[in-house]
Amino acid sequence: MTQQRYPFIAVEGLDGTGKTTLRKGLFRLWQGLFRTTPLCVLTTNFLAPDEAGAIVEGKYRPSAENGAAYLAAIVADKKNTLDQLVRPQRTARPVIADRWLLSEMAFFAVKHGAKSAETYQALAAGLSEGPDVTLVLELPAADSMDRAKDRSGDAVRPDWDVHHVQAAVQKVYAEVTGAPESFPLLGTVVRLDAGLPAAQVLAAAWNTLEHLGLMPALEATVTDSRESSRCT
């Protein structure tokens, strides 16, 4: 494959909107069409060990006193994730994040009562790079909660998966996607209708990546693969 820099893709949306399904679909398509295995990362990867306590404290026991430390810890974790995982891998394979910066802004708005623009400025002050594209799966909060309840295991959190909280998160998503130029570290923000069948959502995401020039030409990939086979 001749492409030297693979895309960094963030998948965002409420719980139950199909983020994991879309991520797995993109993963399999990259494997099947390009024989390339993407690297999947999480919102928080705890790669700044000294900051782990501040992340847990700020997220699960929010207070006026620990908000600033929480934001600083998020920045440290994302910087380490970029340095240790994302940048080194992008010469070899795409990177797909299950949530990234948009969710941090939404979580902070709910947990600490801060406006998304203010949270973004605090995060952006310590970060110089973000995804090429943020795919936002959109679905009414009531529908996403119904889907989340149908998942197996202990997927529903009584302090989080309630309508007023999910509606507040969705409000932040709407604010940001309505003015994406104000949040450049999200990359190109693309809204996808999560109410469509999963195959159609995947097709829309795939077409978006092609339209943005984030994938190599399939014909070139096949040619490179054949030439490699001849050499071996």
Side-chain angles (χ1 to χ4, degrees):
M1 187 177 292
T2 57
Q3 182 170 319
Q4 297 299 310
R5 184 173 168 86
Y6 286 81
F8 177 23
I9 304 160
V11 181
E12 297 275 8
L14 298 177
D15 290 346
T17 52
K19 295 185 302 300
T20 300
T21 300
L22 176 57
R23 175 175 56 79
K24 289 180 177 179
L26 292 173
F27 184 97
R28 290 169 181 147
L29 281 174
W30 275 98
Q31 276 192 320
L33 292 176
F34 302 120
R35 298 185 181 181
T36 301
T37 301
L39 171 69
C40 295
V41 299
L42 301 174
T43 321
T44 304
N45 296 280
F46 294 105
L47 292 179
D50 294 342
E51 304 293 341
I55 291 176
V56 173
E57 187 75 17
K59 187 171 185 178
Y60 296 104
R61 291 183 290 272
S63 68
E65 290 72 31
N66 61 28
Y70 177 39
L71 281 180
I74 290 172
V75 170
D77 180 72
K78 287 200 168 5
K79 287 179 67 174
N80 279 26
T81 300
L82 289 167
D83 290 343
Q84 297 179 36
L85 294 179
V86 178
R87 292 193 191 100
Q89 291 298 319
R90 290 189 65 184
T91 58
R93 53 182 172 163
V95 179
I96 306 174
D98 189 337
R99 294 180 162 155
W100 187 249
L101 210 60
L102 178 54
S103 284
E104 300 290 14
M105 294 156 59
F107 293 165
F108 201 79
V110 172
K111 295 289 187 177
H112 290 270
K115 295 181 179 178
S116 55
E118 295 172 354
T119 304
Y120 175 81
Q121 291 302 322
L123 296 172
L127 297 171
S128 59
E129 183 179 351
D132 294 299
V133 59
T134 294
L135 303 174
V136 184
L137 295 172
E138 296 190 323
L139 194 69
D143 294 342
S144 68
M145 289 172 59
D146 285 341
R147 285 190 185 180
K149 290 176 182 176
D150 291 336
R151 294 182 300 189
S152 60
D154 187 17
V156 177
R157 297 152 297 181
D159 63 334
W160 186 259
D161 294 307
V162 290
H163 189 270
H164 73 279
V165 171
Q166 292 300 302
V169 172
Q170 193 168 51
K171 181 180 178 181
V172 174
Y173 287 169
E175 290 174 356
V176 173
T177 57
E181 66 280 356
S182 300
F183 308 93
L185 279 181
L186 297 178
T188 301
V189 177
V190 179
R191 302 159 69 178
L192 301 175
D193 182 359
L196 295 173
Q200 292 184 32
V201 176
L202 176 58
W206 193 255
N207 290 336
T208 292
L209 298 179
E210 286 188 317
H211 177 73
L212 295 174
L214 296 176
M215 292 188 304
L218 187 57
E219 290 182 2
T221 303
V222 173
T223 300
D224 290 348
S225 176
R226 289 172 178 170
E227 290 177 353
S228 176
S229 296
R230 292 193 191 105
C231 291
T232 56

